[in-house]
C-alpha cells in the first residue's frame, strides 16, 4: 500500500496543481514580471519524483532557473509532496511569442533593436479585407495586403508632448470620426523614428477595435503597395487588386516617399486615392516630408495629398524624451534612476527608436544580471551606442554645459567673481576641460578669463578631492563628464 501512495497523490490533478502554482507565482512576483519571464513555462513531464517544465529558449531557461528555481520547487512540494525535484529545460514546440526572450540583445556589440519587455499580444492582421480573391492569390499570403499591426503601437502607448501633440490630435480625431471633412486625407510627416508608424497603427487599432460599427482598414507600407501591385500585374489580377483595395473603408499607406520615381505605382495609387475619397472613405498617408517637399512625386498627387489635414511630427525635445523614457521604464517595471534617464535624453537625441533601444537594452541587462541600473552600468552596457553619439568636445562646450547645469551665466566662466556659487562650477569646468580635452593647463587657464595655470591645477585637485568626499557631487560631475565625453 505504502509504495503506491505517491502515485495516488500525484496522479489526480497534476494540471490543477500546476494551475495553482502558476497562480501563486503570478501573485508572488506581480503581473509584469510574470508575463515577462514565467508565462511561457510549460509543464512537460512527471517522472517519479521529478517534474519537468520547459521554456522556449535557453536564455529564459537560465533566467528562470536561477531566479525562480527554488521557489518553483518549494511550490511544487507544497502542492504535491511526492515531488522532490524540478527540472527546468529548454523545450521545443512553443511559439516564439516574446522577442525579448528570444533575441540575444545582451552582447554589447549586438545592434539595438526592438526589445520588448512586455510580451506583446501576437500581432493581428487588420480586419475586413479578407476576401476569397486575396486568399486565392497564392503568390502571397493574405496578410500582405493588410500588414499586421504592432500591439505596442496604440494611442495609450504614445507619449504626447509639444513636438507631436498636433499630429496626435489629428490621428485621434480620424480614429474617432473617419472621413470627417477637413481631415481627409490625413497626411503625417516627419523624420525617422518620430512616431509616424506608431500613430498610424494606433488609428488602425482604434478603428478595428470598435465594437459598434467596425470599419475595414487596410494598412500597408508604400513598398508593400507597390509589391502587391506588381504581383497583380504579373498574375494578371489587377482588377482584383483594385477592387479589393477599393472595398476598404480606410486605406493607410506608410512611407509614401518610397513611391518617388515609381511612376506606374504612383499612378495606380492616385486612382485608388481619388476613388476612395470620392466614396467618402478615409485615407491616411505618412511620409518623411511634407507633400510640397516630396519632389519626384507627381504634382497632381502632391496637390491632392495636401488637400486634407497635414500634420508634422517635429524632432523631440529634451522634455519629451524624458517623458517617453519615464513612460517606457515604468511600463517595463524597472526602476531607472532619474540621472540615467536624463543622461540618455541628453545623449541620444536623434530619434525615439534609438532612445527606446537604449533603454530596452538597459532594462534587459538589469533583468538578466539582477543588478540595478546605474550611470555606471549604463555606460558599460551602452558603450557602443554612446560612442556613436560622441564627438570631440571643446572647452567652450564644456563651459556652456556646466554653466547650464549649475544655472550660472556663461560669462561667469571667465569672470573674476569668486563667490562659491560661481567659483565651484568654474572649477568643475576646468576639471572637465583637463579630463576631456588635450589642452594644456596654461591653455585652459587662458580660456577661463586668462587665469594662471596654477589656478587650473588647483581646480583639478580641489574637484578630485571633493569628488572623493562627496558622493552626490561626484555623481554630478560624473554625469557632466559623460554628457560630454568623446
Ligand atoms: P517612424 O514611423 O516615424 O519612423 P515609429 O512610429 O516607427 O517611427 O517610431 C519608432 C519607435 O519609437 C517606435 O517603437 C515607437 O513606438 C516609438 N515612439 C516614437 N514616438 C513615440 C512617442 N511619442 N511615444 C512613445 N513611443 C514613441
Ligand atoms: Mg515608420
Amino acid at each position: 500500500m505504502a509504495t503506491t501512495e505517491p502515485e495516488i497523490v500525484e496522479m489526480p490533478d497534476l494540471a490543477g496543481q500546476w494551475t495553482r502554482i502558476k497562480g501563486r507565482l503570478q501573485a508572488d512576483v506581480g503581473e509584469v514580471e510574470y508575463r515577462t519571464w514565467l508565462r511561457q513555462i510549460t509543464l512537460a513531464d512527471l517522472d517519479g519524483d521529478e517534474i519537468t517544465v520547459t521554456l522556449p529558449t535557453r536564455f529564459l531557461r537560465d533566467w528562470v532557473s536561477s531566479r525562480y528555481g527554488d521557489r518553483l520547487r518549494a511550490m511544487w512540494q507544497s502542492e504535491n509532496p511526492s515531488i522532490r525535484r524540478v527540472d527546468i529545460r529548454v523545450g521545443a514546440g512553443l511559439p516564439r511569442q516574446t522577442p525579448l526572450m528570444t533575441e540575444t540583445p545582451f552582447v554589447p556589440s549586438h545592434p539595438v533593436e526592438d526589445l520588448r519587455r512586455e510580451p506583446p499580444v501576437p500581432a493581428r492582421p487588420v480586419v475586413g479585407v479578407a476576401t476569397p480573391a486575396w486568399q486565392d492569390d497564392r503568390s502571397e499570403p493574405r496578410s500582405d495586403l493588410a500588414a499586421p499591426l504592432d500591439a505596442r503601437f496604440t494611442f495609450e502607448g504614445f507619449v504626447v508632448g509639444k513636438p507631436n501633440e498636433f499630429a496626435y490630435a489629428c490621428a485621434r480625431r480620424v480614429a474617432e470620426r473617419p472621413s470627417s471633412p477637413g481631415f481627409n486625407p490625413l497626411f503625417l510627416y516627419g523624420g525617422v523614428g518620430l512616431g509616424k508608424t506608431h500613430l498610424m497603427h494606433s488609428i488602425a487599432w482604434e478603428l478595428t477595435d470598435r465594437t459598434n460599427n467596425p470599419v475595414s482598414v487596410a494598412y500597408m507600407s508604400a513598398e508593400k503597395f507597390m509589391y502587391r501591385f506588381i504581383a497583380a500585374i504579373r498574375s494578371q489580377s489587377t482588377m482584383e487588386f483594385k477592387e479589393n483595395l477599393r472595398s476598404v473603408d480606410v486605406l493607410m499607406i506608410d512611407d509614401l516617399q518610397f513611391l518617388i520615381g515609381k511612376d506606374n505605382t504612383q499612378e495606380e495609387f492616385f486612382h485608388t486615392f481619388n476613388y476612395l475619397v470620392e466614396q467618402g472613405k478615409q485615407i491616411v498617408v505618412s511620409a518623411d516630408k511634407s507633400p510640397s517637399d516630396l519632389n519626384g512625386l507627381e504634382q497632381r498627387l502632391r496637390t491632392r495629398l495636401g488637400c486634407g489635414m497635414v500634420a508634422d511630427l517635429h524632432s523631440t525635445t529634451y522634455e519629451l524624451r524624458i517623458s517617453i523614457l519615464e513612460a517606457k521604464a515604468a511600463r517595463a517595471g524597472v526602476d531607472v534612476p532619474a540621472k540615467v534617464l536624463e543622461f540618455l535624453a541628453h545623449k541620444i537625441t536623434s530619434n525615439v527608436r534609438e532612445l527606446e533601444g537604449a533603454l530596452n537594452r538597459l532594462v534587459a541587462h538589469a533583468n538578466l544580471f539582477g543588478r540595478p541600473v546605474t550611470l555606471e552600468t549604463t555606460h558599460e552596457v551602452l558603450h557602443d551606442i554612446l560612442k556613436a553619439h560622441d564627438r570631440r568636445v571643446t572647452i567652450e562646450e564644456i563651459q556652456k554645459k556646466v554653466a547650464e547645469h549649475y544655472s550660472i551665466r556663461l560669462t561667469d566662466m571667465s569672470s573674476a567673481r569668486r563667490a562659491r556659487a560661481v567659483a565651484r562650477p568654474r572649477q568643475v569646468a576646468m576639471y572637465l576641460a583637463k579630463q576631456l580635452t588635450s589642452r594644456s593647463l596654461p591653455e585652459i587657464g587662458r580660456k577661463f578669463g586668462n587665469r594662471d595655470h596654477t589656478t587650473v591645477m588647483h581646480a583639478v585637485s580641489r574637484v578630485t578631492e571633493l569628488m572623493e568626499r562627496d558622493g552626490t557631487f561626484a555623481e554630478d560631475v560624473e554625469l557632466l563628464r559623460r554628457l560630454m565625453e568623446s
Side-chain angles (χ1 to χ4, degrees):
M1 259 329 228
T3 50
T4 57
E5 206 176 75
E7 267 77 21
I8 294 166
V9 179
E10 66 198 29
M11 289 321 286
D13 188 24
L14 210 54
Q17 292 165 7
W18 179 224
T19 307
R20 279 195 296 279
I21 289 173
K22 285 195 290 189
R24 280 173 59 194
L25 265 178
Q26 192 162 359
D28 238 32
V29 303
E31 179 64 19
V32 173
E33 198 170 323
Y34 180 82
R35 295 224 331 247
T36 309
W37 307 111
L38 300 166
R39 196 180 55 165
Q40 296 194 68
I41 305 182
T42 305
L43 183 59
D45 192 24
L46 174 69
D47 185 12
D49 63 357
E50 184 178 68
I51 195 100
T52 303
V53 297
T54 59
L55 282 147
T57 68
R58 215 177 43 149
F59 166 62
L60 262 183
R61 191 268 322 266
D62 293 348
W63 215 84
V64 167
S65 62
S66 68
R67 303 284 298 225
Y68 306 101
D70 290 344
R71 211 171 328 179
L72 263 178
R73 191 174 331 109
M75 285 182 174
W76 267 112
Q77 271 168 3
S78 77
E79 279 290 334
N80 185 338
S82 70
I83 289 172
R84 298 250 169 271
R85 284 174 301 155
V86 176
D87 185 18
I88 304 176
R89 289 194 197 173
V90 181
L94 271 180
R96 289 170 49 126
Q97 279 180 331
T98 44
L100 168 64
M101 275 49 107
T102 51
E103 287 168 11
T104 48
F106 311 106
V107 186
S109 60
H110 195 83
V112 183
E113 255 304 328
D114 287 348
L115 239 183
R116 294 153 202 184
R117 176 131 200 303
E118 203 172 21
V121 185
R124 160 188 105 172
V126 293
V127 298
V129 283
T131 67
W134 289 105
Q135 280 159 355
D136 282 351
D137 181 359
R138 250 173 256 119
S139 60
E140 286 181 275
R142 185 193 78 75
S143 63
D144 272 9
L145 171 65
L149 299 175
D150 191 314
R152 298 166 309 154
F153 292 178
T154 60
F155 283 126
E156 290 68 40
F158 192 82
V159 180
V160 186
K162 270 258 167 301
N164 59 27
E165 62 187 4
F166 183 64
Y168 173 83
C170 293
R172 269 274 186 206
R173 171 68 196 265
V174 166
E176 266 157 34
R177 262 180 292 157
S179 311
S180 309
F183 286 85
N184 198 15
L186 172 62
F187 189 98
L188 299 169
Y189 76 94
V192 176
L194 296 182
K196 300 183 294 294
T197 300
H198 190 136
L199 282 180
M200 290 182 100
H201 284 211
S202 303
I203 298 173
W205 278 119
E206 199 81 3
L207 287 170
T208 53
D209 263 357
R210 319 208 272 209
T211 35
N212 51 346
N213 193 19
V215 296
S216 62
V217 179
Y219 162 88
M220 73 188 99
S221 65
E223 186 177 3
K224 190 64 81 186
F225 179 88
M226 183 181 89
Y227 177 60
R228 297 276 343 178
F229 178 52
I230 292 173
I233 293 173
R234 217 174 276 143
S235 62
Q236 300 183 325
S237 58
T238 46
M239 277 317 285
E240 271 165 44
F241 175 78
K242 285 177 214 261
E243 274 163 27
N244 280 288
L245 217 48
R246 287 171 195 197
S247 70
V248 302
D249 296 318
V250 179
L251 176 65
M252 310 178 102
I253 304 288
D254 206 350
D255 288 321
L256 194 79
Q257 71 275 4
F258 182 82
L259 295 192
I260 287 174
K262 322 283 195 311
D263 294 348
N264 293 336
T265 312
Q266 259 184 54
E267 173 95 13
E268 184 56 35
F269 175 68
F270 182 71
H271 292 309
T272 305
F273 179 104
N274 286 337
Y275 178 87
L276 285 173
V277 172
E278 265 160 36
Q279 303 295 309
K281 307 297 171 66
Q282 174 78 45
I283 309 265
V284 182
V285 166
S286 87
D288 62 351
K289 295 193 192 70
S290 74
S292 52
D293 287 336
L294 279 173
N295 297 323
L297 217 56
E298 259 191 275
Q299 184 54 47
R300 55 180 189 164
L301 179 54
R302 275 154 60 183
T303 309
R304 303 252 18 199
L305 285 170
C307 274
M309 183 56 71
V310 177
D312 57 344
L313 290 132
H314 298 275
S315 299
T316 57
T317 55
Y318 175 74
E319 287 72 27
L320 179 59
R321 290 194 295 277
I322 289 281
S323 307
I324 291 175
L325 285 168
E326 277 169 356
K328 303 220 164 178
R331 204 165 168 189
V334 168
D335 194 22
V336 183
K339 279 240 175 326
V340 170
L341 299 184
E342 284 163 24
F343 174 68
L344 292 178
H346 267 302
K347 265 287 188 184
I348 304 175
T349 54
S350 44
N351 73 57
V352 182
R353 191 175 295 129
E354 275 199 56
L355 198 62
E356 206 177 11
L359 180 70
N360 285 336
R361 209 201 268 191
L362 277 184
V363 165
H365 187 270
N367 282 326
L368 181 61
F369 295 107
R371 280 199 290 166
V373 178
T374 62
L375 265 185
E376 206 69 51
T377 55
T378 302
H379 211 59
E380 248 170 65
V381 177
L382 302 180
H383 176 73
D384 52 338
I385 308 179
L386 296 175
K387 218 165 128 194
H389 286 265
D390 276 339
R391 62 210 151 75
R392 286 251 150 268
V393 64
T394 63
I395 293 181
E396 286 76 11
E397 279 171 311
I398 293 173
Q399 292 176 326
K400 191 158 164 279
K401 273 266 179 339
V402 174
E404 263 168 25
H405 184 81
Y406 289 103
S407 306
I408 63 168
R409 288 194 305 256
L410 183 57
T411 49
D412 277 333
M413 284 291 164
S414 28
S415 77
R417 289 182 61 198
R418 305 178 76 169
R420 163 86 63 91
V422 176
R424 183 75 77 233
R426 193 190 293 134
Q427 287 180 325
V428 169
M430 289 184 196
Y431 167 88
L432 290 169
K434 182 73 195 103
Q435 298 265 315
L436 303 176
T437 71
S438 52
R439 297 311 174 88
S440 65
L441 294 175
E443 277 175 310
I444 295 172
R446 271 199 293 283
K447 298 263 187 185
F448 286 83
N450 267 326
R451 285 181 158 81
D452 192 71
H453 77 277
T454 53
T455 309
V456 182
M457 234 158 73
H458 175 71
V460 172
S461 59
R462 185 87 186 107
V463 170
T464 312
E465 192 188 305
L466 275 176
M467 284 175 75
E468 274 158 19
R469 282 217 316 258
D470 181 346
T472 318
F473 176 74
E475 223 178 276
D476 233 32
V477 177
E478 197 53 17
L479 174 69
L480 279 165
R481 185 172 72 81
R482 287 188 172 156
L483 284 178
M484 290 176 290
E485 211 168 38
S486 54

